[in-house]
């Protein structure tokens, strides 16, 4: 039994394929088209999934779409009628697109499929799940739990913005929902917009900026904007927002409350913006923890699964972990809309088709999230040489040893091995790596390699067996979705002058013996590396440990700002030549920047639209 899941037409389009309960492959369309957050029909991702399974589209039993367009259209109409005549401009702009495309997505999907299988009966084989049902399925069914509560939080699907479900075996029951326009995701996006970042991509920047500020506006938000109940349910006062009726997230009244107009992109960040970021982050954490306490009290659940865009807030996840409300917390690594493709496929396979669910007894069903394309060494060598690369082909042991040495020499290393990750995080398959011990590595990677804002923190990748030697966490965090404090014994005491610094001035002060991955509040967004899911990366960290005594490195996504994470050897080589990465390792091919033809150097700094 095979089910193809599809997420498309809004942002982060993706495809995923389940075969007899096993997740064969999953990928985002942006990785193939090189268009960040590509929302088009994921034809390349679909083709990849079919190729990975060695099948054609006619061999798929059902295709499942991740939401219900008619329900979304209903929300659009009802919202307009509730606020009319205010909001006519945005309604007028949205309506032609809906009437032309989005309302008739079943026909659109059928037509897109025709070039694979023109005579296939898609009227009977095409299924639609609700948006939050897809999120919940993506969280529960691949989780390692036989039963669990499932909490989903995002901007908005059809109507739901927050939902609670109960999963047991192959059953998933939706229990409660909070509806639009009351949305934790949209609240966070409003502050993302107001502090000058791009909605639907800049929220993680707000999270990274928050530790530079103080939550001075938390009480004001809870007093004026968010009516928060003890059980975590909430309502937003719509007089401060414009997302229901306008073309902006916030309005003038919001600006009056928080001190002026919204910051323009690339304008100087001030302490005021940092305090706003800290405040909305604090409110988000408060809501998430209250919701979780209520879930525990009402369901008695020992385990909880999380999905939806808000579940990518790894700081809130880390706070929830330290509350010790649950025995286990599992977060879908592609918690945003891309993961809806996985959820739609699982919901159809278990829910609609009633197929049994099998746990593997140890690891989850996402296989480390290494679900994308991979390339054989002969193909890698051929493709890199065709691109003009000068390389040395080594044995696997030599690759591990020489890469570990390059890291110990404080070089920035592009690392591409095995299957590409699914979701927004690079997890040691398409990564840029650096020495976590280096006081200058964080700034170097931000400004010279990633070409992004200097305040943004980097994550540590650490051997799972050593995680508690560096960080105050004992549980798995394979998907870089938990933040935990750096251990006290690794911290460096700040002198009086350093303590007097504020905002981004704190950035250049080493705060521990692993300064490149220690944020200004002594926190770190942790990835635990497991031999079972990524043996090559595990071996690299083990070799680095043998050389340096440290089993932790900087791990950031293999791309520059505004570019999708690399997929192919050619993508990796272009990024290598367009940035100041010093060493590139693709499969068993080892490349040094100084050996390359200078004529192939690219200007990557301004090659992509800023995110």
């Amino acid at each position: 039994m095979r089910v193809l899941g599809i997420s498309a037409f809004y942002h982060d389009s993706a495809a995923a394929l389940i075969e007899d309960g096993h997740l064969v492959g999953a990928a985002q369309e942006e990785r193939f088209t090189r268009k960040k957050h590509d929302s088009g029909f994921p034809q390349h991702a679909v083709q990849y999934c079919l190729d990975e399974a060695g099948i054609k589209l006619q061999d798929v039993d059902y295709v499942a779409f991740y939401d219900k367009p008619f329900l979304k259209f209903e929300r659009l109409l009802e919202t307009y009628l509730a606020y009319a005549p205010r909001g006519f401009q945005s309604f007028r702009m949205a309506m032609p697109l809906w009437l032309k495309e989005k309302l008739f997505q079943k026909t659109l999907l059928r037509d897109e499929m025709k070039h694979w299988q023109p005579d296939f009966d898609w009227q009977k084989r095409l299924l639609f799940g609700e948006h939050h049902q897809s999120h919940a399925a993506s969280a529960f069914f691949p989780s390692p739990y036989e039963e669990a509560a499932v909490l989903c939080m995002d901007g908005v699907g059809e109507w739901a913005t927050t939902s609670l479900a109960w999963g047991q075996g192959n059953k998933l029951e939706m229990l409660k929902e909070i509806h639009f326009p009351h949305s934790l995701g949209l609240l966070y996006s409003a502050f993302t917009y107001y502090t000058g970042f791009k909605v639907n991509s800049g929220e993680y920047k707000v999270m990274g900026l928050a530790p530079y500020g103080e939550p001075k506006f938390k009480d004001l938000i809870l007093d004026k904007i968010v009516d928060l109940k003890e059980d975590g349910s909430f309502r937003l006062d719509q007089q401060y927002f414009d997302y229901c009726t306008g073309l902006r997230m916030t309005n003038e009244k919001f600006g009056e409350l928080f001190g002026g107009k919204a910051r323009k992109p690339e304008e100087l960040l001030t302490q005021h913006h940092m305090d706003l970021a800290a405040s909305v982050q604090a409110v988000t954490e408060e809501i998430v923890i209250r919701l979780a306490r209520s879930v525990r009290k009402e369901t008695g659940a020992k385990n909880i699964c999380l999905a939806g865009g808000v579940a990518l807030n790894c700081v809130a996840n880390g706070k929830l972990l330290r509350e010790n409300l649950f025995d286990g917390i599992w977060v879908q690594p592609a918690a945003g809309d891309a993961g809806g493709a996985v959820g739609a496929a699982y919901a159809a396979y278990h829910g609609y088709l009633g197929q049994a669910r099998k746990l593997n007894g140890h690891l989850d069903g996402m296989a480390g999230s290494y679900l994308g394309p991979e390339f054989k060494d002969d193909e890698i060598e051929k493709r890199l040489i065709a691109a003009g690369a000068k390389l040395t082909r080594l044995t696997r042991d030599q690759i591990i040893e020489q890469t570990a040495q390059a890291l110990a020499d404080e070089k920035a290393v592009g690392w591409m091995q095995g299957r590409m990750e699914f979701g927004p995080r690079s997890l040691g398959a398409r990564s840029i790596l650096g020495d976590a011990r280096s006081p200058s590595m964080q700034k170097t990677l931000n400004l010279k390699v990633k070409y992004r804002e200097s305040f943004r923190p980097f994550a540590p990748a650490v051997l799972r067996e050593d995680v508690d030697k560096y960080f105050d966490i004992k549980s798995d965090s394979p998907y870089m979705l938990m933040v935990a404090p750096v251990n006290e014994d690794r911290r460096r005491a700040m002198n009086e002058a350093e303590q007097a610094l504020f905002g981004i001035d704190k950035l250049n002060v080493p705060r521990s013996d692993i300064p490149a991955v220690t944020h200004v509040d002594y926190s770190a967004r942790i990835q635990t590396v497991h031999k079972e899911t990524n043996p090559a990366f595990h071996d690299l960290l083990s070799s680095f440990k043998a050389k340096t005594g440290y089993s932790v490195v900087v791990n950031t996504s293999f791309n520059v700002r505004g570019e999708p994470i690399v997929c192919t050897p050619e993508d990796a080589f272009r990024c290598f030549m367009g940035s100041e990465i010093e060493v590139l390792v693709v499969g068993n091919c080892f490349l040094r920047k100084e050996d390359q033809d200078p004529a192939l150097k690219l200007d990557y700094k301004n090659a992509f639209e800023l995110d």
Side-chain angles (χ1 to χ4, degrees), residues 94-295:
M95 194 53 53
L97 183 62
W98 272 94
L99 293 178
K100 182 182 177 184
E101 289 183 5
K102 295 187 176 183
L103 192 56
F104 304 104
Q105 280 176 6
K106 187 169 186 177
T107 302
L108 184 61
L109 287 165
R110 183 196 65 202
D111 292 345
E112 287 284 0
M113 300 292 182
K114 277 185 177 178
H115 74 274
W116 278 291
Q117 185 65 22
D119 58 346
F120 202 81
D121 186 4
W122 292 108
Q123 294 293 339
K124 294 181 180 178
R125 301 286 177 105
L126 189 56
L127 306 174
F128 290 82
E130 289 195 24
H131 189 92
H132 268 239
Q133 181 188 42
S134 295
H135 274 319
S138 79
F140 175 64
F141 289 126
S143 80
Y145 311 132
E146 173 61 28
E147 61 179 30
V150 186
L151 182 61
C152 299
M153 303 162 287
D154 65 359
V156 61
E158 294 91 0
W159 280 104
T161 66
T162 302
S163 65
L164 171 64
W166 178 257
Q168 187 168 15
N170 69 343
K171 306 293 184 186
L172 185 63
E173 181 185 3
M174 305 302 290
L175 302 177
K176 286 184 175 182
E177 293 180 345
I178 296 173
H179 284 180
F180 180 86
H182 309 292
S183 165
L184 180 55
L186 291 177
L187 173 70
Y188 209 92
S189 291
F191 279 87
T192 300
Y193 168 85
Y194 187 70
T195 51
F197 302 113
K198 188 178 287 188
V199 171
N200 289 329
S201 69
E203 283 77 6
Y204 57 90
K205 298 182 187 181
V206 176
M207 184 179 67
L209 189 64
Y212 294 97
E214 299 291 333
K216 295 178 179 178
F217 302 102
K218 179 183 177 182
D219 290 343
L220 184 62
I221 295 170
L222 291 174
D223 182 47
K224 296 289 187 180
I225 292 182
V226 182
D227 179 13
L228 177 61
K229 304 303 184 186
E230 191 59 37
D231 65 356
S233 61
F234 59 88
R235 294 180 65 83
L236 305 186
D237 188 337
Q238 289 303 305
Q239 66 178 314
Y240 295 100
F241 302 99
D242 207 23
Y243 57 75
C244 281
T245 59
L247 304 175
R248 305 170 300 170
M249 290 300 298
T250 63
N251 58 24
E252 287 73 17
K253 193 158 188 174
F254 188 100
E256 290 170 9
L257 192 62
F258 294 109
K261 293 182 179 179
R263 171 181 167 264
K264 294 179 181 178
E266 307 305 308
E267 270 186 3
L268 182 68
L269 282 164
T270 68
Q271 190 63 45
H272 180 67
H273 300 118
M274 298 170 203
D275 293 340
L276 285 166
S279 301
V280 72
Q281 179 64 33
V283 169
T284 299
E285 292 164 12
E286 180 75 19
I287 294 172
V288 168
I289 289 170
R290 286 196 194 188
L291 283 168
R293 284 179 185 149
S294 178
V295 168

Side-chain angles (χ1 to χ4, degrees), residues 427-446:
L427 301 169
R430 305 289 188 275
S431 292
I432 298 172
L433 307 176
D435 188 348
R437 303 170 303 158
S438 168
S440 61
M441 186 59 66
Q442 195 255 15
K443 191 170 185 179
T444 297
L445 287 177
N446 265 332

Side-chain angles (χ1 to χ4, degrees), residues 302-527:
K302 293 182 178 179
N303 302 306
I304 191 169
C305 304
L306 303 178
V310 176
L312 294 173
N313 192 308
C314 50
V315 178
N317 295 344
K319 294 280 178 69
L320 179 57
L321 179 68
R322 288 189 291 283
E323 286 287 311
N324 291 314
L325 294 170
F326 302 93
D327 295 345
I329 300 174
W330 192 83
V331 186
Q332 163 57 239
D337 276 8
V342 170
Y346 269 118
Y349 185 83
H350 292 302
Y352 181 76
L353 299 171
Q355 297 294 309
R357 177 171 174 252
K358 300 172 186 175
L359 300 180
N360 60 26
H362 174 50
L363 299 171
D364 62 59
M366 291 296 292
S369 213
Y370 305 111
L371 296 165
E374 66 177 327
F375 302 86
K376 303 296 184 185
D377 284 323
D378 288 345
E379 183 183 5
I380 289 169
E381 182 178 20
K382 183 179 178 181
R383 292 172 72 152
L384 287 175
I385 289 173
K390 303 291 191 297
L391 58 86
T392 304
R393 186 152 169 187
L394 304 173
T395 66
R396 188 181 186 281
D397 288 346
Q398 289 172 327
I399 280 288
I400 296 297
E401 197 282 329
Q402 292 198 27
T403 306
Q405 188 58 55
L407 290 170
D409 293 339
E410 296 191 23
K411 295 186 184 298
V413 176
W415 173 259
M416 175 176 163
Q417 300 289 322
R419 296 183 71 177
M420 181 179 69
E421 303 91 338
F422 180 59
R425 307 285 182 238
S426 284
L427 301 169
R430 305 289 188 275
S431 292
I432 298 172
L433 307 176
D435 188 348
R437 303 170 303 158
S438 168
S440 61
M441 186 59 66
Q442 195 255 15
K443 191 170 185 179
T444 297
L445 287 177
N446 265 332
L447 298 180
K448 293 189 175 182
V449 176
K450 300 285 284 185
Y451 303 128
R452 68 183 200 181
E453 302 94 339
S454 63
F455 68 82
R456 288 166 62 181
F458 286 109
V462 59
L463 292 177
R464 170 62 183 93
E465 54 268 32
D466 289 351
V467 65
D468 59 353
K469 296 178 182 177
Y470 300 92
F471 309 103
D472 185 16
I473 185 173
K474 290 182 169 58
S475 57
D476 294 350
S477 180
Y479 302 123
M480 213 180 279
L481 286 171
M482 292 290 172
V483 163
V486 173
N487 285 341
E488 292 278 357
D489 61 356
R490 294 195 173 273
R491 298 183 185 185
R492 173 188 170 273
M494 296 174 67
N495 61 41
E496 193 172 319
E498 290 168 341
Q499 288 177 340
L501 296 172
F502 68 92
I504 294 176
D505 291 337
K506 298 174 182 177
L507 178 68
N508 297 321
V509 178
R511 310 176 84 74
S512 75
D513 66 342
I514 43 172
V517 295
T518 304
H519 205 9
V520 293
D521 59 350
Y522 294 101
S523 70
R525 183 182 51 162
I526 295 156
Q527 180 202 357

